[in-house]
Amino acid sequence: MDSPVHLRTVVALLGGFPALAGADLSVSAGEAVLLRGPNGAGKSTLLRLCAGLVAPARGDAFVLGYDLSTDRRSVRRRVGLLGHAGFLYDDLTVSENVTFAVKAAAGDVGAISGALDRLGLSGRLASTQAGVLSAGQRRRTALAALVARAPELWLLDEPHAGLDAEGRDVLDDVVADARSAGATVLLASHDSDRARRLASREVFVAGGLVHDREHASAP
């Protein structure tokens, strides 16, 4: 598959309910695609599907060349999901959480220090347990893990949530740099004005289906 993301009539069930009801989406390498739509439309499920965390019940679902119907485990090392929960272990420090994420993805541990610096998490914060962090600091920690891992496909679910103005600017710069380095980005956001600055295209998700809406912006 040439497309990092290729979904064709994909159905995904959550508790027996079709959260995706025949979704079609094709994303080219280096694109940044904004997913728009109301709550419950299927945006988060689509991102989690692409992360290998939700299995397709029907249809064709390929991410980075992997068939998600038969091999979801392999794709997880090559994608990075920034979700609502953040996937942090409260009893580990900031540095330990980022290190764990990088090692689990067989990434470059040499990139950890620079990622912590870039997200403002070096020094005392690096040795602080995640359980006592503010929401914004937790978000920065999860983002630092993505920066250090440098995944081929970035999956961002409301990425600006919980961040202050400085943090939102840092996130925008990080995503722009990832694209410049060749990464592909899928993001879901209600902050349309800011998210559109990151996107080269937008699609609308409703009722578990994906509807194309072209949106041009500078990469």
Side-chain angles (χ1 to χ4, degrees):
M1 287 288 168
D2 294 329
S3 300
V5 176
H6 179 79
L7 309 179
R8 178 70 175 168
T9 62
V10 170
V11 175
L13 304 177
L14 294 181
F17 175 80
L20 294 178
D24 296 318
L25 179 64
S26 210
V27 180
S28 300
E31 268 198 300
V33 177
L34 170 62
L35 308 175
R36 294 190 58 209
N39 291 333
K43 302 186 301 297
S44 294
T45 301
L46 193 153
L47 292 174
R48 287 174 58 80
L49 176 101
C50 291
L53 300 177
V54 173
R58 290 196 300 276
D60 298 324
F62 291 86
V63 172
L64 299 176
Y66 295 103
D67 185 346
L68 298 184
S69 296
T70 58
D71 187 6
R72 289 185 290 135
R73 183 184 297 272
S74 296
V75 79
R76 293 172 190 165
R77 288 190 173 187
R78 296 176 57 187
V79 306
L81 173 65
L82 182 66
H84 297 289
F87 304 109
L88 301 182
Y89 294 95
D90 287 347
D91 57 338
L92 297 183
T93 67
V94 167
S95 179
E96 289 168 342
N97 266 288
V98 175
T99 300
F100 179 84
V102 172
K103 288 184 175 180
D108 178 12
V109 295
I112 293 171
S113 178
L116 292 173
D117 285 343
R118 183 160 195 190
L119 273 297
L121 296 169
S122 55
R124 179 185 61 82
L125 272 175
S127 58
T128 300
Q129 285 189 323
V132 300
L133 297 177
S134 68
Q137 291 167 338
R138 291 179 69 88
R139 201 68 165 164
R140 284 175 181 256
T141 301
L143 183 57
L146 263 67
V147 171
R149 286 183 54 208
E152 297 169 58
L153 175 62
W154 290 54
L155 303 166
L156 309 176
D157 198 353
E158 299 295 340
H160 299 100
L163 292 173
D164 58 16
E166 179 188 8
R168 291 194 292 272
D169 289 342
V170 170
L171 184 144
D172 290 353
D173 289 342
V174 162
V175 173
D177 288 350
R179 283 194 68 200
S180 295
T184 303
V185 179
L186 264 179
L187 69 154
S189 178
H190 290 296
D191 189 350
S192 299
D193 290 340
R194 182 174 282 270
R196 277 177 172 149
R197 299 174 201 163
L198 302 175
S200 52
R201 179 164 63 101
E202 71 177 59
V203 297
F204 192 77
V205 183
L209 298 173
V210 180
H211 308 273
D212 273 324
R213 283 189 179 183
E214 295 297 328
H215 168 69
S217 74

